[in-house]
Amino acid sequence: MAKVIITCAVTGAIHTPSMSDHLPITPQEIAEQAIAAAEAGAAILHLHARDPKDGSPTPDPAVFMQFLPVIKQSTDAVINITTGGGLGMSLDERLAAPLQASPEMCSLNMGSMNFNIAPSAARVKTWKHAWEKPYLENTTNYIFRNTFQDIEQVVERLGKGHGTRFEFECYDVGHLYNLAHMLDRKVVEPPLFTQTIFGILGGIGAEPRNLMFMKETADRLFGKDYVWSVLAAGRNQMPFTTMAGMLGGNVRVGLEDSLWLGKGVQAKSNAEQVAKIRRILEELSLEIATPAEAREMLALKG
Ligand code: KMH
Ligand code: ZN
């Protein structure tokens, strides 16, 4: 059986500082947590940046450059930079840091969608920063824009321009068909690292039958041309990644996707979540892929 690639999504642009004291914000915190996650078993580190002053998501390449070299110096993990960015960023802003850093891997979101994270604001009692509440509430009227032209532009500028390969983010069944369309037209090349995503309000719900359906659809569309991975938001993170492991898939954890370790227990770090899923997978007699093995499985430039 193939080894399991663990991706860790370290901070993201969904959660805000008031939701958890453990969410890494500054370049130093992001670097420290990313390195610890790699030491715990993550072969791939999916990275966003935040404004060190107030924790708001930033596309500023100068901020990315404060932590990317530090992480590269201390780990062999694959660097995967977001092209999704955060609420309100233009495509050019979203591409600025990846184009400067030329990473082995970037995320590529496979369709436009509503993306509502406002419900998670209800749990917050006091706000640390003025931007957080409106940021979350704006998502009731937010369209996460990823048109066919946007997708092709990302592939053109990063894939063709820099040899970057992609984590294809598929939040619903239609996104798998969008990816198949890109494969048919030879816009993208196998192996397709396909991240199927469950439990984002606006995408497919976190129900086991949906996980099976997404897998079966991807099997039908891509056959041997894809490498399957799963992430699920919030409390569904560990159950869904466990199911993925049992079904021969790869997994993504990290504080971008969930602030929790278990019921009522916040994760104190990204490494804690990596260690937990690693423990579960190894208990199931599965082996964890090293960064070198992940590079080979995903045909990365290295
Ligand atoms: N926030 C995740 C559900 C991106 O950065 O491009 C998906 C993601 C998007 O990681
Ligand atoms: Zn992300």
Side-chain angles (χ1 to χ4, degrees):
M1 200 154 184
K3 294 190 180 178
V4 182
I5 300 170
I6 302 178
T7 297
C8 182
V10 176
T11 190
I14 299 174
H15 293 126
T16 72
S18 298
M19 293 175 178
S20 170
D21 291 337
H22 311 296
L23 189 67
I25 303 291
T26 64
Q28 191 186 339
E29 288 167 349
I30 291 172
E32 280 171 8
Q33 286 217 27
I35 293 163
E39 285 166 355
I44 302 178
L45 298 167
H46 170 83
L47 297 160
H48 293 238
R50 292 179 182 266
D51 184 328
K53 287 190 302 296
D54 65 3
S56 58
T58 176
D60 186 351
V63 181
F64 278 86
M65 290 308 169
Q66 287 176 45
F67 58 78
L68 289 176
V70 183
I71 297 171
K72 274 195 197 162
Q73 255 166 35
S74 311
T75 83
D76 183 35
V78 174
I79 302 287
N80 165 345
I81 300 180
T82 180
T83 67
L87 192 62
M89 294 179 197
S90 68
L91 190 63
D92 280 339
E93 287 174 323
R94 287 158 51 177
L95 288 178
L99 286 172
Q100 189 165 322
S102 191
E104 286 178 84
M105 179 171 275
C106 279
S107 60
L108 179 46
N109 294 273
M110 290 311 296
S112 300
M113 60 188 291
N114 297 334
F115 199 116
N116 183 358
I117 49 176
S120 51
R123 280 208 206 89
V124 178
K125 297 206 175 58
T126 48
W127 296 97
K128 286 185 185 163
H129 304 287
W131 67 271
E132 296 178 67
K133 198 163 181 276
Y135 182 82
L136 294 165
E137 284 172 358
N138 280 344
T139 64
T140 60
N141 193 31
Y142 174 55
I143 297 170
F144 184 26
R145 182 190 147 143
N146 300 288
T147 64
F148 287 105
Q149 209 171 83
D150 291 343
I151 293 167
E152 287 202 40
Q153 209 187 118
V154 176
V155 175
E156 188 63 36
R157 293 169 71 181
L158 273 170
K160 306 248 168 11
H162 289 261
T164 297
R165 290 182 57 79
F166 298 102
E167 174 196 10
F168 296 102
E169 314 276 359
C170 297
Y171 301 78
D172 216 326
V173 186
H175 295 174
L176 295 173
Y177 284 86
N178 293 349
L179 182 54
H181 170 72
M182 296 290 173
L183 182 65
D184 283 351
R185 292 180 45 236
K186 302 200 183 334
V187 173
V188 296
E189 278 172 23
L192 306 172
F193 187 42
T194 305
Q195 192 69 257
T196 51
I197 299 172
F198 301 87
I200 296 283
L201 189 52
I204 199 165
E207 294 182 55
R209 73 177 75 182
N210 290 343
L211 180 123
M212 291 309 301
F213 187 63
M214 289 287 273
K215 180 185 187 305
E216 284 162 13
T217 305
D219 284 347
R220 238 178 16 253
L221 292 173
F222 310 124
K224 290 196 184 339
D225 282 348
Y226 90 115
V227 176
W228 180 47
S229 185
V230 167
L231 80 84
R235 68 189 157 81
N236 294 299
Q237 180 183 68
M238 291 296 163
F240 271 63
T241 47
T242 302
M243 282 190 277
M246 289 165 58
L247 293 166
N250 302 280
V251 302
R252 173 170 135 173
V253 294
L255 298 193
E256 171 165 352
D257 303 335
S258 170
L259 297 171
W260 304 93
L261 194 63
K263 193 171 165 58
V265 183
Q266 284 203 327
K268 291 195 187 60
S269 67
N270 280 275
E272 253 192 351
Q273 289 183 345
V274 173
K276 178 167 177 170
I277 193 63
R278 180 186 188 149
R279 198 164 60 240
I280 292 169
L281 294 169
E282 287 179 342
E283 288 288 342
L284 296 168
S285 304
L286 294 163
E287 283 182 84
I288 305 305
T290 64
E293 288 163 342
R295 283 187 176 93
E296 196 173 333
M297 288 160 75
L298 303 175
L300 302 182
K301 64 182 175 178

